[in-house]
Amino acid sequence: MPHDTPLIATIVAGLGLAFVFGALAQRFRFPPLVGYLLAGVAVGPFTPGFVADQALATELAELGIILLMFGVGLHFSLKDLMSVRAIAVPGAVVQITVATLMGMALSWAMGWSIGGGLVFGLALSVASTVVLLRALQERRLMDTERGRIAVGWLIVEDLAMVLALVLIPAFASLQTGNGDVAAADPLAARFGLGLTGVLLLTFAKIGVFMAVMLLVGRRLIPWILHYVAHTGSRELFRLAVLAIALGVAFGSTKLFGVSLALGAFFAGMMLGESPLSQRAAQESLPLRDAFAVLFFVSAGMLFDPASIIREPWPLLATLFIILFGKSLAAFLIVIAFRHPVSTALTISASLAQIGEFSFILAEIGGATNLLPKAGRDLILAGAIISIMLNPLMFAALDWLLPRLEHRRADVAARPAPKPAEIPVTPLTEHTIVVGYGRVGRLVGEALQQRGHAFLAVETSEDILKQLKSAGIETITGNAARSNVLRATNPSAAHALVIAIPEAFEAGQIVEQARAANPALHIVARAHSDAEVEHLKSLGADMVIMGEREIARGMIEELDTRPPDPAPELVPQRTESVQARAERSAPWLDV
């Protein structure tokens, strides 16, 4: 067996160090993505010690790009984009334009070409999907108007970057030493097309590819997935998802000349229309995450830490564009569309970093000789530092918002509402339902059928609208906050149902509600024995764990079912059940 195994060494070193540095980053409350990039720096050619094979790392990174873009396509929601299109589409386009122009101005000052400046500016204009979504989820902003605008804005940015990934190779032909514009495309070279012809041919290829995907792939890909699902093989289903992602990406590149990223994005988008898309995302997630980590490690290998010392001023200028330049542009755009200051600040903080697409653009810019090595270093350094500073931007936002609201209220001669001034419900002997998702909705419907008075505490604006249209009293906010819980009038309530799955917040609610009303009947939910004990220790009367209730229901079904009077038929019935189980693939959640 050969001992020289550079592929295995690269994977082991990349994943191993990514885990170590990612865990350290998480320990110090930074996104793990920072650790992955630093792991790449550690195994790169610019730091002492072990140096991974950069050529192999680049190919592994290509797989990471394919699976990363496949995941973006799976979660792409045209419905979410259309709901905020009035602000997200023009806002993102203007913000990308402003940030790109600022990046081009900086590149011009450093003497780069126009093409290099364009790639550099585009790389600084697009935020990280991973970092933005995590920041919104941690602050429970995903279901708010601010969160939807931020996600819609991000979708427009992603679509613009997907288009850029296709057009950059065409523009790169301008930078060829012999001036042959068509050199980048064999078909264009054969017919002697100029720049306009190359661009038209590129758009024609994209159009044909999109038509094939919409007319054929839209039906064929979900059909394949459904066929495989009904074989009952989990391994085959997982393999089918990966084969579709990699096969469409590779085939689109060979047949239509589009990028691997665009092919993978469309494969994910077509698959996203299937009812099995959620399960497909779950099944492909482990491998997708692993290769995405290797992609970030590969990006970190390209970064020369000494460039920070050699050229500190360009780095500071790059950080200014990322943290303040494009954020200020986004803030002014949102204000111009007459949205609240809180929304404008949230969008600004969300966009004050760069990530995945920036790395992809940097690699393509380097591969096409558009972007100089110094530009790639600035992009990578700007990404690492901006991702590390992004939590501080949101902390500053949390500190600034209450003060701005208070000052604006003073200027308008209206006192700022204090937390205690939230109106308290006049209901008495009622039930408080915290969280109106799948569990809370079932509880609420049962209370309605029995004629019991209740109110719902919820943060999702869509759910709140539905509740209000149904005539159900609601209170907006996080029930773990004392002013929100106080508004539910727990001292006069009959019962409290905590239907949210977060045990930490549920514990805060239980503790405060028990202090307000020792006689209140409190029912909560949990996902583990430790959560059950935690909530009971804080005062919950009953804590229901889903797995226990499922087992209890199964046992009750067995107890109530009479014994089969014909034992000789048991093997036949068992075989029928097994066959039906294999056909229906019980591990699928559709």
Side-chain angles (χ1 to χ4, degrees):
M1 181 176 180
H3 295 283
D4 186 18
T5 53
L7 176 60
I8 296 177
T10 301
I11 294 175
V12 171
L15 293 180
L17 285 177
F19 166 71
V20 173
F21 281 93
L24 289 173
Q26 183 77 16
R27 175 65 180 82
F28 291 102
R29 304 183 68 83
F30 290 117
L33 176 59
V34 174
Y36 307 154
L37 293 170
L38 293 178
V41 175
V43 298
F46 304 105
T47 54
F50 172 79
V51 177
D53 190 312
Q54 198 159 2
L56 288 175
T58 302
E59 290 200 31
L60 292 173
E62 290 287 353
L63 286 174
I65 292 172
I66 292 173
L67 296 175
L68 201 63
M69 292 303 300
F70 177 69
V72 172
L74 271 176
H75 294 96
F76 174 78
S77 174
L78 187 61
K79 179 182 177 182
D80 291 342
L81 176 59
M82 295 303 292
S83 67
V84 294
R85 64 186 183 279
I87 173 67
V89 175
V93 171
V94 173
Q95 178 256 308
I96 290 173
T97 303
V98 171
T100 302
L101 291 176
M102 288 191 291
M104 293 181 71
L106 177 59
S107 69
W108 175 80
M110 292 186 289
W112 300 352
S113 67
I114 295 177
L118 179 63
V119 174
F120 183 68
L122 287 172
L124 301 186
S125 70
V126 58
S128 166
T129 303
V130 176
V131 176
L132 186 147
L133 292 179
R134 176 171 177 176
L136 294 178
Q137 289 168 350
E138 286 180 349
R139 288 159 182 82
R140 303 186 68 181
L141 294 175
M142 288 294 293
D143 293 324
T144 66
E145 183 185 16
R146 288 180 287 167
R148 283 196 295 270
I149 292 176
V151 172
W153 198 297
L154 186 68
I155 290 173
V156 177
E157 283 191 348
D158 288 353
L159 291 175
M161 293 307 112
V162 168
L163 181 61
L165 296 179
V166 176
L167 295 179
I168 284 175
F171 280 108
S173 60
L174 288 173
Q175 303 295 314
T176 54
N178 58 6
D180 186 5
V181 176
D185 192 305
L187 188 61
R190 179 179 179 182
F191 291 99
L193 301 179
L195 175 62
T196 303
V198 170
L199 293 178
L200 291 176
L201 179 62
T202 301
F203 279 114
K205 288 182 176 180
I206 297 173
V208 174
F209 168 69
M210 292 176 64
V212 170
M213 292 300 295
L214 292 173
L215 296 177
V216 180
R218 194 173 190 176
R219 294 175 174 83
L220 182 61
I221 291 176
W223 179 83
I224 293 174
L225 208 62
H226 278 268
Y227 173 79
V228 175
H230 284 84
T231 65
S233 172
R234 190 173 199 149
E235 294 79 6
L236 195 58
F237 182 85
R238 186 182 295 120
L239 183 61
V241 173
L242 296 175
I244 289 171
L246 298 174
V248 172
F250 186 76
S252 62
T253 300
K254 293 299 181 181
L255 297 177
F256 302 99
V258 301
S259 67
L260 292 169
L262 181 64
F265 174 79
F266 264 89
M269 194 166 65
M270 296 301 99
L271 194 55
E273 297 186 5
S274 168
L276 296 172
S277 61
Q278 184 177 2
R279 176 56 64 178
Q282 293 175 359
E283 292 297 323
S284 63
L285 184 61
L287 194 60
R288 200 166 75 230
D289 283 348
F291 277 98
V293 168
L294 289 175
F295 164 67
F296 292 122
V297 171
S298 173
M301 290 176 63
L302 301 175
F303 174 58
D304 182 4
S307 64
I308 298 177
I309 301 173
R310 289 196 307 264
E311 298 179 334
W313 296 112
L315 176 58
L316 289 175
T318 300
L319 288 173
F320 178 83
I321 295 173
I322 298 171
L323 299 176
F324 301 105
K326 68 173 184 174
S327 295
L328 178 60
F331 177 85
L332 295 176
I333 293 167
V334 176
I335 291 296
F337 278 82
R338 301 184 181 276
H339 283 269
V341 174
S342 60
T343 300
L345 288 174
T346 301
I347 301 299
S348 300
S350 301
L351 300 176
Q353 38 79 19
I354 59 175
E356 306 87 65
F357 269 111
S358 304
F359 304 142
I360 298 173
L361 287 168
E363 290 203 6
I364 291 180
T368 55
N369 295 319
L370 281 177
L371 187 68
K373 179 181 178 300
R376 194 170 58 191
D377 287 341
L378 288 175
I379 291 171
L380 293 171
I384 293 172
I385 297 174
S386 66
I387 290 171
M388 292 177 67
L389 293 179
N390 195 246
L392 299 180
M393 300 289 286
F394 272 97
L397 174 67
D398 295 338
W399 177 85
L400 185 60
L401 273 180
R403 287 160 177 79
L404 287 178
E405 293 295 331
H406 182 74
R407 182 177 180 182
R408 189 173 68 171
D410 287 342
V411 172
R414 295 193 303 268
K418 299 178 181 179
E421 294 178 357
I422 295 180
V424 177
T425 178
L427 292 177
T428 58
E429 293 298 317
H430 59 292
T431 299
I432 305 165
V433 180
V434 177
Y436 213 76
R438 290 178 298 176
V439 175
R441 185 181 301 276
L442 294 174
V443 174
E445 291 173 355
L447 292 172
Q448 275 185 308
Q449 293 174 0
R450 298 173 185 178
H452 294 173
F454 76 98
L455 62 83
V457 183
E458 182 56 63
T459 57
S460 170
E461 294 181 5
D462 292 336
I463 295 177
L464 287 168
K465 289 179 182 178
Q466 296 173 7
L467 290 170
K468 290 175 182 177
S469 64
I472 298 172
E473 184 170 345
T474 60
I475 291 179
T476 306
N478 186 346
R481 296 182 177 178
S482 58
N483 59 314
V484 176
L485 186 61
R486 192 182 304 115
T488 66
N489 198 11
S491 59
H494 167 69
L496 168 64
V497 177
I498 305 174
I500 59 174
E502 293 84 5
F504 178 74
E505 289 185 10
Q508 293 178 306
I509 298 169
V510 169
E511 192 171 19
Q512 295 180 62
R514 179 60 69 211
N517 185 354
L520 185 66
H521 187 63
I522 302 177
V523 182
R525 61 182 287 194
H527 292 288
S528 67
D529 292 330
E531 291 182 0
V532 172
E533 295 302 321
H534 171 68
L535 294 174
K536 283 189 175 182
S537 68
L538 293 175
D541 295 294
M542 176 179 289
V543 182
I544 299 174
M545 190 168 71
E547 290 79 1
R548 286 181 179 175
E549 294 306 310
I550 293 173
R552 184 174 298 157
M554 291 179 173
I555 293 171
E556 290 178 355
E557 172 65 19
L558 293 175
D559 289 341
T560 56
R561 186 180 182 87
D564 195 331
E568 65 274 11
L569 296 180
V570 171
Q572 181 180 357
R573 188 181 65 224
T574 303
E575 182 180 357
S576 175
V577 170
Q578 290 176 347
R580 188 167 61 253
E582 291 176 356
R583 288 196 304 272
S584 61
W587 46 271
L588 287 172
D589 182 17
V590 297

